[in-house]
Amino acid sequence: MTNGGLHTEFDDADESPGLLLWQVTNRWQAAQRAALAPFDLTHVQFVLLAALTWLTGRSGGDPVTQRDVADQAATDPMMTSQVLRTLEQKGLLERHDHPTDKRAKSLLPTEAGAALVNRAIGAVEGCDREFFEPLGDQTSRFTAALRRLRDRDSD
């Protein structure tokens, strides 16, 4: 059998934006895992707890649901449910009956959960500053480009 090689449009793997994004994402995730290890949080646990805490602070007292958290974090609802259950078992959030929707639960970070995520966000943002530092003054353009990619299907 003859191996004809990889039939790709790129002369070099470093020309593939998808491959580069995957490689950079893997490195960034490893850095975030290390930053969050002292807090006993996975990155997705941090993101969901941060989203819940942020939404709760801006809700004006209105209930925050699992769907709200999943939408804010852009995560799969089933995975969100599983992770929120883990956070509840850790004592970092509470579920209450929703006041108007019998099918939904209202979520609140516990005092311990809000305190933990507010300590952890310093480590996460510090990790981001260090990771993206090589971009220098191009960081805001890079962030804007990422938003364009994230939002392109929702237009």
Side-chain angles (χ1 to χ4, degrees), residues 103-128:
R103 298 166 296 150
K105 293 289 185 186
S106 174
L107 305 174
L108 279 173
T110 62
E111 273 189 48
L116 178 66
V117 79
N118 276 297
R119 285 192 314 274
I121 199 161
V124 166
E125 290 177 350
C127 179
D128 277 353

mmCIF file with all atom_site columns, all heavy atoms in Angstrom, residues 103-128:
data_model
loop_
_atom_site.group_PDB
_atom_site.id
_atom_site.type_symbol
_atom_site.label_atom_id
_atom_site.label_alt_id
_atom_site.label_comp_id
_atom_site.label_asym_id
_atom_site.label_entity_id
_atom_site.label_seq_id
_atom_site.pdbx_PDB_ins_code
_atom_site.Cartn_x
_atom_site.Cartn_y
_atom_site.Cartn_z
_atom_site.occupancy
_atom_site.B_iso_or_equiv
_atom_site.pdbx_formal_charge
_atom_site.auth_seq_id
_atom_site.auth_comp_id
_atom_site.auth_asym_id
_atom_site.auth_atom_id
_atom_site.pdbx_PDB_model_num
ATOM 1   N N   . ARG A 1 103 ? -41.128 23.893 36.901 1.00 0.00 ? 103 ARG A N   1
ATOM 2   C CA  . ARG A 1 103 ? -40.133 22.987 36.313 1.00 0.00 ? 103 ARG A CA  1
ATOM 3   C C   . ARG A 1 103 ? -38.703 23.443 36.568 1.00 0.00 ? 103 ARG A C   1
ATOM 4   O O   . ARG A 1 103 ? -37.774 22.659 36.465 1.00 0.00 ? 103 ARG A O   1
ATOM 5   C CB  . ARG A 1 103 ? -40.350 22.849 34.798 1.00 0.00 ? 103 ARG A CB  1
ATOM 6   C CG  . ARG A 1 103 ? -41.703 22.261 34.425 1.00 0.00 ? 103 ARG A CG  1
ATOM 7   C CD  . ARG A 1 103 ? -41.986 22.462 32.956 1.00 0.00 ? 103 ARG A CD  1
ATOM 8   N NE  . ARG A 1 103 ? -42.080 23.904 32.703 1.00 0.00 ? 103 ARG A NE  1
ATOM 9   C CZ  . ARG A 1 103 ? -41.767 24.506 31.577 1.00 0.00 ? 103 ARG A CZ  1
ATOM 10  N NH1 . ARG A 1 103 ? -41.336 23.817 30.569 1.00 0.00 ? 103 ARG A NH1 1
ATOM 11  N NH2 . ARG A 1 103 ? -41.885 25.799 31.439 1.00 0.00 ? 103 ARG A NH2 1
ATOM 12  N N   . ALA A 1 104 ? -38.529 24.712 36.886 1.00 0.00 ? 104 ALA A N   1
ATOM 13  C CA  . ALA A 1 104 ? -37.180 25.280 37.017 1.00 0.00 ? 104 ALA A CA  1
ATOM 14  C C   . ALA A 1 104 ? -36.789 25.417 38.480 1.00 0.00 ? 104 ALA A C   1
ATOM 15  O O   . ALA A 1 104 ? -37.631 25.441 39.371 1.00 0.00 ? 104 ALA A O   1
ATOM 16  C CB  . ALA A 1 104 ? -37.125 26.646 36.335 1.00 0.00 ? 104 ALA A CB  1
ATOM 17  N N   . LYS A 1 105 ? -35.499 25.502 38.688 1.00 0.00 ? 105 LYS A N   1
ATOM 18  C CA  . LYS A 1 105 ? -34.942 25.789 40.006 1.00 0.00 ? 105 LYS A CA  1
ATOM 19  C C   . LYS A 1 105 ? -34.226 27.133 39.929 1.00 0.00 ? 105 LYS A C   1
ATOM 20  O O   . LYS A 1 105 ? -33.625 27.480 38.916 1.00 0.00 ? 105 LYS A O   1
ATOM 21  C CB  . LYS A 1 105 ? -33.947 24.705 40.436 1.00 0.00 ? 105 LYS A CB  1
ATOM 22  C CG  . LYS A 1 105 ? -34.569 23.357 40.699 1.00 0.00 ? 105 LYS A CG  1
ATOM 23  C CD  . LYS A 1 105 ? -35.390 23.389 41.961 1.00 0.00 ? 105 LYS A CD  1
ATOM 24  C CE  . LYS A 1 105 ? -35.907 21.997 42.294 1.00 0.00 ? 105 LYS A CE  1
ATOM 25  N NZ  . LYS A 1 105 ? -36.818 22.020 43.426 1.00 0.00 ? 105 LYS A NZ  1
ATOM 26  N N   . SER A 1 106 ? -34.297 27.852 41.007 1.00 0.00 ? 106 SER A N   1
ATOM 27  C CA  . SER A 1 106 ? -33.549 29.093 41.142 1.00 0.00 ? 106 SER A CA  1
ATOM 28  C C   . SER A 1 106 ? -32.218 28.740 41.794 1.00 0.00 ? 106 SER A C   1
ATOM 29  O O   . SER A 1 106 ? -32.178 27.971 42.758 1.00 0.00 ? 106 SER A O   1
ATOM 30  C CB  . SER A 1 106 ? -34.345 30.054 42.026 1.00 0.00 ? 106 SER A CB  1
ATOM 31  O OG  . SER A 1 106 ? -33.612 31.211 42.290 1.00 0.00 ? 106 SER A OG  1
ATOM 32  N N   . LEU A 1 107 ? -31.135 29.283 41.272 1.00 0.00 ? 107 LEU A N   1
ATOM 33  C CA  . LEU A 1 107 ? -29.795 28.984 41.781 1.00 0.00 ? 107 LEU A CA  1
ATOM 34  C C   . LEU A 1 107 ? -29.204 30.208 42.458 1.00 0.00 ? 107 LEU A C   1
ATOM 35  O O   . LEU A 1 107 ? -29.408 31.335 41.996 1.00 0.00 ? 107 LEU A O   1
ATOM 36  C CB  . LEU A 1 107 ? -28.878 28.558 40.634 1.00 0.00 ? 107 LEU A CB  1
ATOM 37  C CG  . LEU A 1 107 ? -29.330 27.404 39.761 1.00 0.00 ? 107 LEU A CG  1
ATOM 38  C CD1 . LEU A 1 107 ? -28.362 27.216 38.598 1.00 0.00 ? 107 LEU A CD1 1
ATOM 39  C CD2 . LEU A 1 107 ? -29.444 26.131 40.570 1.00 0.00 ? 107 LEU A CD2 1
ATOM 40  N N   . LEU A 1 108 ? -28.459 29.965 43.519 1.00 0.00 ? 108 LEU A N   1
ATOM 41  C CA  . LEU A 1 108 ? -27.741 31.024 44.217 1.00 0.00 ? 108 LEU A CA  1
ATOM 42  C C   . LEU A 1 108 ? -26.380 30.506 44.642 1.00 0.00 ? 108 LEU A C   1
ATOM 43  O O   . LEU A 1 108 ? -26.291 29.384 45.160 1.00 0.00 ? 108 LEU A O   1
ATOM 44  C CB  . LEU A 1 108 ? -28.486 31.437 45.494 1.00 0.00 ? 108 LEU A CB  1
ATOM 45  C CG  . LEU A 1 108 ? -29.646 32.388 45.378 1.00 0.00 ? 108 LEU A CG  1
ATOM 46  C CD1 . LEU A 1 108 ? -30.343 32.526 46.730 1.00 0.00 ? 108 LEU A CD1 1
ATOM 47  C CD2 . LEU A 1 108 ? -29.172 33.748 44.897 1.00 0.00 ? 108 LEU A CD2 1
ATOM 48  N N   . PRO A 1 109 ? -25.337 31.306 44.465 1.00 0.00 ? 109 PRO A N   1
ATOM 49  C CA  . PRO A 1 109 ? -24.055 30.886 45.053 1.00 0.00 ? 109 PRO A CA  1
ATOM 50  C C   . PRO A 1 109 ? -24.170 30.994 46.575 1.00 0.00 ? 109 PRO A C   1
ATOM 51  O O   . PRO A 1 109 ? -24.819 31.913 47.079 1.00 0.00 ? 109 PRO A O   1
ATOM 52  C CB  . PRO A 1 109 ? -23.049 31.890 44.491 1.00 0.00 ? 109 PRO A CB  1
ATOM 53  C CG  . PRO A 1 109 ? -23.861 33.094 44.137 1.00 0.00 ? 109 PRO A CG  1
ATOM 54  C CD  . PRO A 1 109 ? -25.237 32.599 43.790 1.00 0.00 ? 109 PRO A CD  1
ATOM 55  N N   . THR A 1 110 ? -23.557 30.078 47.281 1.00 0.00 ? 110 THR A N   1
ATOM 56  C CA  . THR A 1 110 ? -23.487 30.205 48.731 1.00 0.00 ? 110 THR A CA  1
ATOM 57  C C   . THR A 1 110 ? -22.449 31.282 49.057 1.00 0.00 ? 110 THR A C   1
ATOM 58  O O   . THR A 1 110 ? -21.700 31.716 48.169 1.00 0.00 ? 110 THR A O   1
ATOM 59  C CB  . THR A 1 110 ? -23.071 28.879 49.389 1.00 0.00 ? 110 THR A CB  1
ATOM 60  O OG1 . THR A 1 110 ? -21.763 28.525 48.920 1.00 0.00 ? 110 THR A OG1 1
ATOM 61  C CG2 . THR A 1 110 ? -24.073 27.763 49.102 1.00 0.00 ? 110 THR A CG2 1
ATOM 62  N N   . GLU A 1 111 ? -22.393 31.693 50.318 1.00 0.00 ? 111 GLU A N   1
ATOM 63  C CA  . GLU A 1 111 ? -21.348 32.645 50.719 1.00 0.00 ? 111 GLU A CA  1
ATOM 64  C C   . GLU A 1 111 ? -19.976 32.070 50.403 1.00 0.00 ? 111 GLU A C   1
ATOM 65  O O   . GLU A 1 111 ? -19.096 32.772 49.906 1.00 0.00 ? 111 GLU A O   1
ATOM 66  C CB  . GLU A 1 111 ? -21.447 32.953 52.218 1.00 0.00 ? 111 GLU A CB  1
ATOM 67  C CG  . GLU A 1 111 ? -22.393 34.071 52.540 1.00 0.00 ? 111 GLU A CG  1
ATOM 68  C CD  . GLU A 1 111 ? -22.299 34.480 54.006 1.00 0.00 ? 111 GLU A CD  1
ATOM 69  O OE1 . GLU A 1 111 ? -21.170 34.674 54.503 1.00 0.00 ? 111 GLU A OE1 1
ATOM 70  O OE2 . GLU A 1 111 ? -23.361 34.610 54.620 1.00 0.00 ? 111 GLU A OE2 1
ATOM 71  N N   . ALA A 1 112 ? -19.812 30.776 50.717 1.00 0.00 ? 112 ALA A N   1
ATOM 72  C CA  . ALA A 1 112 ? -18.528 30.120 50.446 1.00 0.00 ? 112 ALA A CA  1
ATOM 73  C C   . ALA A 1 112 ? -18.235 30.077 48.950 1.00 0.00 ? 112 ALA A C   1
ATOM 74  O O   . ALA A 1 112 ? -17.099 30.289 48.522 1.00 0.00 ? 112 ALA A O   1
ATOM 75  C CB  . ALA A 1 112 ? -18.526 28.704 51.028 1.00 0.00 ? 112 ALA A CB  1
ATOM 76  N N   . GLY A 1 113 ? -19.270 29.818 48.135 1.00 0.00 ? 113 GLY A N   1
ATOM 77  C CA  . GLY A 1 113 ? -19.085 29.770 46.683 1.00 0.00 ? 113 GLY A CA  1
ATOM 78  C C   . GLY A 1 113 ? -18.698 31.114 46.109 1.00 0.00 ? 113 GLY A C   1
ATOM 79  O O   . GLY A 1 113 ? -17.781 31.216 45.286 1.00 0.00 ? 113 GLY A O   1
ATOM 80  N N   . ALA A 1 114 ? -19.387 32.171 46.545 1.00 0.00 ? 114 ALA A N   1
ATOM 81  C CA  . ALA A 1 114 ? -19.064 33.515 46.048 1.00 0.00 ? 114 ALA A CA  1
ATOM 82  C C   . ALA A 1 114 ? -17.665 33.930 46.492 1.00 0.00 ? 114 ALA A C   1
ATOM 83  O O   . ALA A 1 114 ? -16.909 34.515 45.711 1.00 0.00 ? 114 ALA A O   1
ATOM 84  C CB  . ALA A 1 114 ? -20.112 34.515 46.537 1.00 0.00 ? 114 ALA A CB  1
ATOM 85  N N   . ALA A 1 115 ? -17.308 33.612 47.731 1.00 0.00 ? 115 ALA A N   1
ATOM 86  C CA  . ALA A 1 115 ? -15.971 33.966 48.217 1.00 0.00 ? 115 ALA A CA  1
ATOM 87  C C   . ALA A 1 115 ? -14.897 33.214 47.438 1.00 0.00 ? 115 ALA A C   1
ATOM 88  O O   . ALA A 1 115 ? -13.876 33.796 47.040 1.00 0.00 ? 115 ALA A O   1
ATOM 89  C CB  . ALA A 1 115 ? -15.868 33.659 49.712 1.00 0.00 ? 115 ALA A CB  1
ATOM 90  N N   . LEU A 1 116 ? -15.132 31.923 47.199 1.00 0.00 ? 116 LEU A N   1
ATOM 91  C CA  . LEU A 1 116 ? -14.148 31.106 46.472 1.00 0.00 ? 116 LEU A CA  1
ATOM 92  C C   . LEU A 1 116 ? -13.964 31.618 45.049 1.00 0.00 ? 116 LEU A C   1
ATOM 93  O O   . LEU A 1 116 ? -12.835 31.799 44.586 1.00 0.00 ? 116 LEU A O   1
ATOM 94  C CB  . LEU A 1 116 ? -14.576 29.643 46.457 1.00 0.00 ? 116 LEU A CB  1
ATOM 95  C CG  . LEU A 1 116 ? -13.658 28.691 45.688 1.00 0.00 ? 116 LEU A CG  1
ATOM 96  C CD1 . LEU A 1 116 ? -12.289 28.604 46.375 1.00 0.00 ? 116 LEU A CD1 1
ATOM 97  C CD2 . LEU A 1 116 ? -14.289 27.309 45.579 1.00 0.00 ? 116 LEU A CD2 1
ATOM 98  N N   . VAL A 1 117 ? -15.057 31.858 44.345 1.00 0.00 ? 117 VAL A N   1
ATOM 99  C CA  . VAL A 1 117 ? -14.930 32.281 42.946 1.00 0.00 ? 117 VAL A CA  1
ATOM 100 C C   . VAL A 1 117 ? -14.307 33.666 42.851 1.00 0.00 ? 117 VAL A C   1
ATOM 101 O O   . VAL A 1 117 ? -13.576 33.960 41.904 1.00 0.00 ? 117 VAL A O   1
ATOM 102 C CB  . VAL A 1 117 ? -16.285 32.187 42.196 1.00 0.00 ? 117 VAL A CB  1
ATOM 103 C CG1 . VAL A 1 117 ? -17.210 33.350 42.488 1.00 0.00 ? 117 VAL A CG1 1
ATOM 104 C CG2 . VAL A 1 117 ? -16.061 32.040 40.702 1.00 0.00 ? 117 VAL A CG2 1
ATOM 105 N N   . ASN A 1 118 ? -14.541 34.517 43.846 1.00 0.00 ? 118 ASN A N   1
ATOM 106 C CA  . ASN A 1 118 ? -13.924 35.840 43.836 1.00 0.00 ? 118 ASN A CA  1
ATOM 107 C C   . ASN A 1 118 ? -12.440 35.775 44.151 1.00 0.00 ? 118 ASN A C   1
ATOM 108 O O   . ASN A 1 118 ? -11.668 36.612 43.668 1.00 0.00 ? 118 ASN A O   1
ATOM 109 C CB  . ASN A 1 118 ? -14.670 36.797 44.764 1.00 0.00 ? 118 ASN A CB  1
ATOM 110 C CG  . ASN A 1 118 ? -15.863 37.402 44.061 1.00 0.00 ? 118 ASN A CG  1
ATOM 111 O OD1 . ASN A 1 118 ? -15.709 38.108 43.071 1.00 0.00 ? 118 ASN A OD1 1
ATOM 112 N ND2 . ASN A 1 118 ? -17.055 37.084 44.545 1.00 0.00 ? 118 ASN A ND2 1
ATOM 113 N N   . ARG A 1 119 ? -12.002 34.782 44.915 1.00 0.00 ? 119 ARG A N   1
ATOM 114 C CA  . ARG A 1 119 ? -10.554 34.574 45.090 1.00 0.00 ? 119 ARG A CA  1
ATOM 115 C C   . ARG A 1 119 ? -9.957  33.968 43.826 1.00 0.00 ? 119 ARG A C   1
ATOM 116 O O   . ARG A 1 119 ? -8.893  34.379 43.365 1.00 0.00 ? 119 ARG A O   1
ATOM 117 C CB  . ARG A 1 119 ? -10.282 33.656 46.289 1.00 0.00 ? 119 ARG A CB  1
ATOM 118 C CG  . ARG A 1 119 ? -10.468 34.317 47.631 1.00 0.00 ? 119 ARG A CG  1
ATOM 119 C CD  . ARG A 1 119 ? -9.915  33.499 48.792 1.00 0.00 ? 119 ARG A CD  1
ATOM 120 N NE  . ARG A 1 119 ? -10.254 32.092 48.793 1.00 0.00 ? 119 ARG A NE  1
ATOM 121 C CZ  . ARG A 1 119 ? -11.364 31.553 49.301 1.00 0.00 ? 119 ARG A CZ  1
ATOM 122 N NH1 . ARG A 1 119 ? -12.284 32.327 49.853 1.00 0.00 ? 119 ARG A NH1 1
ATOM 123 N NH2 . ARG A 1 119 ? -11.568 30.245 49.263 1.00 0.00 ? 119 ARG A NH2 1
ATOM 124 N N   . ALA A 1 120 ? -10.656 32.999 43.244 1.00 0.00 ? 120 ALA A N   1
ATOM 125 C CA  . ALA A 1 120 ? -10.143 32.288 42.066 1.00 0.00 ? 120 ALA A CA  1
ATOM 126 C C   . ALA A 1 120 ? -10.049 33.190 40.845 1.00 0.00 ? 120 ALA A C   1
ATOM 127 O O   . ALA A 1 120 ? -9.150  33.015 40.016 1.00 0.00 ? 120 ALA A O   1
ATOM 128 C CB  . ALA A 1 120 ? -11.026 31.071 41.758 1.00 0.00 ? 120 ALA A CB  1
ATOM 129 N N   . ILE A 1 121 ? -10.939 34.165 40.732 1.00 0.00 ? 121 ILE A N   1
ATOM 130 C CA  . ILE A 1 121 ? -10.912 35.002 39.522 1.00 0.00 ? 121 ILE A CA  1
ATOM 131 C C   . ILE A 1 121 ? -9.615  35.791 39.428 1.00 0.00 ? 121 ILE A C   1
ATOM 132 O O   . ILE A 1 121 ? -9.123  36.051 38.330 1.00 0.00 ? 121 ILE A O   1
ATOM 133 C CB  . ILE A 1 121 ? -12.160 35.905 39.411 1.00 0.00 ? 121 ILE A CB  1
ATOM 134 C CG1 . ILE A 1 121 ? -12.312 36.371 37.960 1.00 0.00 ? 121 ILE A CG1 1
ATOM 135 C CG2 . ILE A 1 121 ? -12.097 37.083 40.372 1.00 0.00 ? 121 ILE A CG2 1
ATOM 136 C CD1 . ILE A 1 121 ? -13.673 36.863 37.595 1.00 0.00 ? 121 ILE A CD1 1
ATOM 137 N N   . GLY A 1 122 ? -9.038  36.140 40.552 1.00 0.00 ? 122 GLY A N   1
ATOM 138 C CA  . GLY A 1 122 ? -7.738  36.818 40.524 1.00 0.00 ? 122 GLY A CA  1
ATOM 139 C C   . GLY A 1 122 ? -6.675  35.941 39.894 1.00 0.00 ? 122 GLY A C   1
ATOM 140 O O   . GLY A 1 122 ? -5.865  36.400 39.081 1.00 0.00 ? 122 GLY A O   1
ATOM 141 N N   . ALA A 1 123 ? -6.686  34.645 40.240 1.00 0.00 ? 123 ALA A N   1
ATOM 142 C CA  . ALA A 1 123 ? -5.720  33.711 39.668 1.00 0.00 ? 123 ALA A CA  1
ATOM 143 C C   . ALA A 1 123 ? -5.976  33.493 38.181 1.00 0.00 ? 123 ALA A C   1
ATOM 144 O O   . ALA A 1 123 ? -5.039  33.439 37.372 1.00 0.00 ? 123 ALA A O   1
ATOM 145 C CB  . ALA A 1 123 ? -5.770  32.382 40.413 1.00 0.00 ? 123 ALA A CB  1
ATOM 146 N N   . VAL A 1 124 ? -7.248  33.387 37.804 1.00 0.00 ? 124 VAL A N   1
ATOM 147 C CA  . VAL A 1 124 ? -7.611  33.165 36.397 1.00 0.00 ? 124 VAL A CA  1
ATOM 148 C C   . VAL A 1 124 ? -7.221  34.370 35.542 1.00 0.00 ? 124 VAL A C   1
ATOM 149 O O   . VAL A 1 124 ? -6.629  34.221 34.469 1.00 0.00 ? 124 VAL A O   1
ATOM 150 C CB  . VAL A 1 124 ? -9.119  32.852 36.277 1.00 0.00 ? 124 VAL A CB  1
ATOM 151 C CG1 . VAL A 1 124 ? -9.607  32.953 34.847 1.00 0.00 ? 124 VAL A CG1 1
ATOM 152 C CG2 . VAL A 1 124 ? -9.418  31.472 36.856 1.00 0.00 ? 124 VAL A CG2 1
ATOM 153 N N   . GLU A 1 125 ? -7.550  35.559 36.019 1.00 0.00 ? 125 GLU A N   1
ATOM 154 C CA  . GLU A 1 125 ? -7.212  36.758 35.248 1.00 0.00 ? 125 GLU A CA  1
ATOM 155 C C   . GLU A 1 125 ? -5.706  36.985 35.201 1.00 0.00 ? 125 GLU A C   1
ATOM 156 O O   . GLU A 1 125 ? -5.169  37.425 34.182 1.00 0.00 ? 125 GLU A O   1
ATOM 157 C CB  . GLU A 1 125 ? -7.956  37.969 35.804 1.00 0.00 ? 125 GLU A CB  1
ATOM 158 C CG  . GLU A 1 125 ? -9.445  37.892 35.512 1.00 0.00 ? 125 GLU A CG  1
ATOM 159 C CD  . GLU A 1 125 ? -10.250 39.030 36.109 1.00 0.00 ? 125 GLU A CD  1
ATOM 160 O OE1 . GLU A 1 125 ? -9.717  39.811 36.930 1.00 0.00 ? 125 GLU A OE1 1
ATOM 161 O OE2 . GLU A 1 125 ? -11.442 39.135 35.750 1.00 0.00 ? 125 GLU A OE2 1
ATOM 162 N N   . GLY A 1 126 ? -5.006  36.658 36.283 1.00 0.00 ? 126 GLY A N   1
ATOM 163 C CA  . GLY A 1 126 ? -3.543  36.740 36.269 1.00 0.00 ? 126 GLY A CA  1
ATOM 164 C C   . GLY A 1 126 ? -2.936  35.764 35.281 1.00 0.00 ? 126 GLY A C   1
ATOM 165 O O   . GLY A 1 126 ? -1.989  36.092 34.555 1.00 0.00 ? 126 GLY A O   1
ATOM 166 N N   . CYS A 1 127 ? -3.499  34.570 35.237 1.00 0.00 ? 127 CYS A N   1
ATOM 167 C CA  . CYS A 1 127 ? -3.046  33.560 34.272 1.00 0.00 ? 127 CYS A CA  1
ATOM 168 C C   . CYS A 1 127 ? -3.262  34.063 32.844 1.00 0.00 ? 127 CYS A C   1
ATOM 169 O O   . CYS A 1 127 ? -2.383  33.933 31.994 1.00 0.00 ? 127 CYS A O   1
ATOM 170 C CB  . CYS A 1 127 ? -3.803  32.252 34.522 1.00 0.00 ? 127 CYS A CB  1
ATOM 171 S SG  . CYS A 1 127 ? -3.367  30.917 33.399 1.00 0.00 ? 127 CYS A SG  1
ATOM 172 N N   . ASP A 1 128 ? -4.425  34.651 32.588 1.00 0.00 ? 128 ASP A N   1
ATOM 173 C CA  . ASP A 1 128 ? -4.705  35.204 31.258 1.00 0.00 ? 128 ASP A CA  1
ATOM 174 C C   . ASP A 1 128 ? -3.722  36.316 30.904 1.00 0.00 ? 128 ASP A C   1
ATOM 175 O O   . ASP A 1 128 ? -3.202  36.358 29.788 1.00 0.00 ? 128 ASP A O   1
ATOM 176 C CB  . ASP A 1 128 ? -6.136  35.749 31.184 1.00 0.00 ? 128 ASP A CB  1
ATOM 177 C CG  . ASP A 1 128 ? -7.166  34.678 30.900 1.00 0.00 ? 128 ASP A CG  1
ATOM 178 O OD1 . ASP A 1 128 ? -6.791  33.520 30.618 1.00 0.00 ? 128 ASP A OD1 1
ATOM 179 O OD2 . ASP A 1 128 ? -8.371  35.013 30.953 1.00 0.00 ? 128 ASP A OD2 1
#
